[in-house]
Amino acid sequence: MSVEKDPCGESSLETLLNPKISRRLLMLGAAAAAAGATLGRWVPSAQAAVGGVLDIMTWEGYSLQTEAADWIKANAIRVNASIMGNQDDVTAKLMGGGVRLDLAEYSNGYNELYKGLNQLKPIDVSKIPNYNSTDIINKFHDGSMWFWDGKRFGIPWTWGVDTIVYNPKGLSAPITSFKDLLRPEFKGKLTFLDNPLTVWPLAARITGFDDKFPNVTKDELDQIWQQMQPYRDQCRTFASSNGDVVSLFVAGEISACFCTWTAATLETAKQGVKTEYVFPKEGGAVWADAWFIPSTAENIDTALAFINQALDPRTQAAMSKSVSSAVVNRKAVQHMDEATKSLFDYDNVDKFLETAPIKGQPPRQSDKYATYDDWLQAWASFRAGF
């Protein structure tokens, strides 16, 4: 699920996003089906030139097989794209043994997991000229989520923001804060999307632990979800996908979703139900995806060239239109159609990202802080109502 951006300042927030079918299959709830050939067994055989078979794993709609079709054909590349339904699908492939992946994506925060697993190859940025400090939006160049131990391991290439979506019909007053979802009119009419990547950091933010997330103690973790209980009391149900969120709005069962893809508003409109999105004073949750080269990669030169093409301004513009995500290459803006460009306030994007930090994920192991598994358990208990 994901939505789009929110520059700075209240007025500019509203210029951000106007939905369109978008990202990950969390979005419309489709299962992780293979697009193209499935992954084959890995047989080492170094390939030095651009071309040949490139095995990748990516979100639905992010394989560039349409947006970069001419480049792929010109370089005689056969892209075998396996589709991920969530980040754990990639992790399972990495840890499965004997499975070749030349290229894959990881979402913000998963760098710590992959760093610990030692499953990533360092990236030679000299072979990715489109990734440079002049053209790439500041927050997506360098940064500890993609660069550590003096080496680069990830190349961020797409991003967005999740926030409140609601039905304005009969609204007693505008929504300006997450706390407005606690008004009586939303009793039994609120839903949560089961998407920890954006729900967890927002829960920490509105309960006063934003500065500490993702490193909170177990006691602080308990406090977060105790303070979130009033929102749980407002909740009618939990949605497993953005498709579920849309269906709930259309059926009239909910009036608001705590945090979801803003493109849900377009989907409800197709079915005759008007919904809107708003960036409350607490802000939304920023997500970002990065390409990385797994340790099993064979066709490395082609993987590097593919990443470079993914950052090409025209390819970025085409991808933004296709999946309603934001671009990282400033030069892409001039190639966008007006409707897509208007979804983002790129003139203020650096300032916005300064006020909306890209959060990581809780640690997988820690003697000091609540771990990822601790968060999963707390989230499961919250959904269960206890």
Side-chain angles (χ1 to χ4, degrees), residues 271-283:
Q271 300 182 60
V273 176
K274 180 181 180 180
T275 56
E276 299 177 358
Y277 66 88
V278 63
F279 292 96
K281 65 181 182 181
E282 298 91 347

Side-chain angles (χ1 to χ4, degrees), residues 39-294:
L39 297 173
R41 303 293 293 178
W42 175 48
V43 180
S45 63
Q47 185 163 340
V50 174
V53 177
L54 186 72
D55 287 312
I56 72 175
M57 194 166 196
T58 184
W59 299 105
E60 175 72 13
Y62 285 66
S63 68
L64 297 182
Q65 288 166 297
T66 298
E67 294 77 12
D70 291 343
W71 178 85
I72 290 171
K73 181 178 180 181
N75 286 278
I77 300 169
R78 190 177 84 205
V79 177
N80 288 341
S82 186
I83 301 306
M84 54 195 281
N86 56 57
Q87 194 65 53
D88 289 341
D89 291 341
V90 177
T91 308
K93 291 294 183 184
L94 294 178
M95 301 304 293
V99 177
R100 168 184 162 182
L101 268 182
D102 295 312
L103 196 62
E105 289 185 89
Y106 69 76
S107 297
N108 49 291
Y110 283 88
N111 53 295
E112 290 295 334
L113 170 63
Y114 293 147
K115 183 192 304 186
L117 294 176
N118 196 29
Q119 292 291 320
L120 282 64
K121 285 184 179 293
I123 293 174
D124 183 354
V125 184
S126 70
K127 295 185 177 180
I128 310 177
N130 284 328
Y131 192 73
N132 60 78
S133 59
T134 300
D135 298 336
I136 300 301
I137 293 170
N138 297 345
K139 281 291 184 180
F140 301 110
H141 196 266
D142 295 326
S144 60
M145 288 190 183
W146 309 293
F147 186 91
W148 60 85
D149 295 337
K151 301 175 183 177
R152 173 166 298 286
F153 292 91
I155 303 290
W157 75 295
T158 185
W159 65 283
V161 186
D162 286 2
T163 192
I164 296 171
V165 172
Y166 66 99
N167 186 332
K169 186 177 181 180
L171 204 65
S172 64
I175 294 175
T176 61
S177 167
F178 278 96
K179 292 181 180 179
D180 290 330
L181 297 177
L182 299 178
R183 298 195 309 233
E185 66 199 273
F186 292 111
K187 181 70 175 180
K189 303 291 283 184
L190 178 68
T191 192
F192 280 80
L193 177 61
D194 187 7
N195 181 16
L197 184 66
T198 52
V199 174
W200 291 357
L202 281 176
R205 185 177 306 167
I206 67 178
T207 56
F209 292 93
D210 185 45
D211 290 342
K212 293 186 176 182
F213 184 87
N215 295 317
V216 303
T217 65
K218 290 185 179 181
D219 180 64
E220 290 168 338
L221 176 63
D222 289 341
Q223 292 181 52
I224 288 172
W225 294 110
Q226 287 172 12
Q227 292 184 53
M228 286 294 295
Q229 189 59 45
Y231 294 91
R232 177 65 180 83
D233 294 341
Q234 297 282 82
C235 195
R236 179 180 184 85
T237 187
F238 282 74
S240 63
S241 70
N242 275 353
D244 288 343
V245 172
V246 169
S247 296
L248 289 168
F249 273 122
V250 171
E253 294 187 32
I254 62 171
S255 296
C257 182
F258 179 84
C259 171
T260 190
W261 177 44
T262 56
T265 59
L266 180 62
E267 294 305 305
T268 62
K270 289 178 180 178
Q271 300 182 60
V273 176
K274 180 181 180 180
T275 56
E276 299 177 358
Y277 66 88
V278 63
F279 292 96
K281 65 181 182 181
E282 298 91 347
V286 177
W287 56 264
D289 285 342
W291 291 114
F292 72 92
I293 299 178

Side-chain angles (χ1 to χ4, degrees), residues 16 20 317 319-322 324-325 336-344 346:
L16 281 196
K20 207 168 194 200
M319 276 298 301
S320 179
K321 183 176 181 179
S322 295
S324 295
S325 61
M336 291 181 179
D337 62 285
E338 287 303 317
T340 305
K341 182 167 35 175
S342 69
L343 304 181
F344 305 82
Y346 288 102

